[in-house]
Amino acid sequence: AEQASTWEKVTSLADITAGEYIIANGDYFLPTTTTGSKNAPVPYTLESQGISFVADSFTGIVPDIAKWTFTGTNTAMTITNSGGDYLYGTKENKGLHVGTTSDITWAFEVYNDGFAMKNTNDRYCAIYVNDSNEPQDWRSYTSRNASNYKINDGILYLYKKGDARSALETPTGVEAVAEGNEVLVSWNEVSGAASYTVSFEPATIEPR
């Protein structure tokens, strides 16, 4: 089974290296669902996938729909989903897709307290907000602060996956107390603990 990992907000351009990422625009993330060449990715909230960042950190299991794999450098990054499909953009304002097109890379720029990402067709991506002021889909425009990029002004946040946590950590402060026919065992609280097996060795009795 997959183990929980800690995802941390990226704060430096130099830290955008190969690895696994969540791409977020405000409270929404860019989903990895394959769209083909006709459709654009639709917005999903982080909350809908059980992802809640506290002090720019989340520890848990992130579903594949929110996980992108970055390969390359921050000036020429290939971005793929778990099935090997690519995030790419065409020279159209609605032209952000996930599919088999593999010749598009992304360059990252510092943008306010986050980042902007521009593809090799000179298009920036963020969430398009429709006339009813509702998030409609992820799109690509020639400016990183396009007039319809109203979610966090089009500023993107990246969260990078760190090391997996052990499902069961070693308990500390273990104590065993014999009371009649019972043995009571206690230990200090350990996060991530589901169950433990406790075993005992029989006491050695010296012959008289």
Side-chain angles (χ1 to χ4, degrees):
E2 184 177 359
Q3 295 181 353
S5 297
T6 298
W7 299 71
E8 300 282 355
K9 183 180 179 182
V10 179
T11 58
S12 170
L13 195 64
D15 291 333
I16 304 177
T17 56
E20 288 188 274
Y21 289 81
I22 299 169
I23 302 172
N25 186 190
D27 295 329
Y28 300 86
F29 69 89
L30 176 58
T32 63
T33 309
T34 301
T35 65
S37 60
K38 301 295 183 183
N39 301 310
V42 297
Y44 288 90
T45 63
L46 292 160
E47 183 182 15
S48 72
Q49 302 302 315
I51 302 169
S52 178
F53 287 93
V54 178
D56 296 332
S57 178
F58 169 74
T59 299
I61 296 176
V62 172
D64 283 347
I65 193 174
K67 289 191 299 190
W68 293 100
T69 298
F70 287 16
T71 306
T73 67
N74 59 27
T75 58
M77 194 72 74
T78 298
I79 302 177
T80 55
N81 64 16
S82 61
D85 287 319
Y86 297 85
L87 178 67
Y88 70 97
T90 64
K91 295 181 179 179
E92 302 170 348
N93 59 4
K94 297 181 181 180
L96 188 69
H97 307 295
V98 182
T100 57
T101 299
S102 60
D103 59 346
I104 302 296
T105 60
W106 296 84
F108 292 86
E109 304 172 1
V110 173
Y111 180 20
N112 201 301
D113 64 339
F115 302 98
M117 45 189 283
K118 180 173 68 173
N119 64 39
T120 41
N121 280 319
D122 292 326
R123 294 275 178 171
Y124 294 89
C125 77
I127 293 175
Y128 170 87
V129 175
N130 61 26
D131 293 337
S132 300
N133 214 33
E134 295 292 330
Q136 181 170 314
D137 50 28
W138 285 77
R139 297 193 183 185
S140 60
Y141 286 92
T142 54
S143 62
R144 65 187 188 182
N145 58 349
S147 60
N148 286 99
Y149 284 174
K150 297 179 181 179
I151 305 295
N152 200 35
D153 295 323
I155 300 166
L156 305 181
Y157 296 136
L158 301 177
Y159 299 92
K160 188 174 184 179
K161 181 181 180 180
D163 295 332
R165 294 177 56 197
S166 174
L168 294 177
E169 298 174 1
T170 303
T172 59
V174 179
E175 293 184 0
V177 179
E179 290 189 0
N181 294 326
E182 295 182 327
V183 177
L184 306 179
V185 181
S186 64
W187 56 78
N188 293 344
E189 180 180 351
V190 180
S191 62
S195 63
Y196 291 103
T197 299
V198 180
S199 60
F200 299 92
E201 294 182 2
T204 302
I205 301 176
E206 295 293 336
R208 291 186 176 181

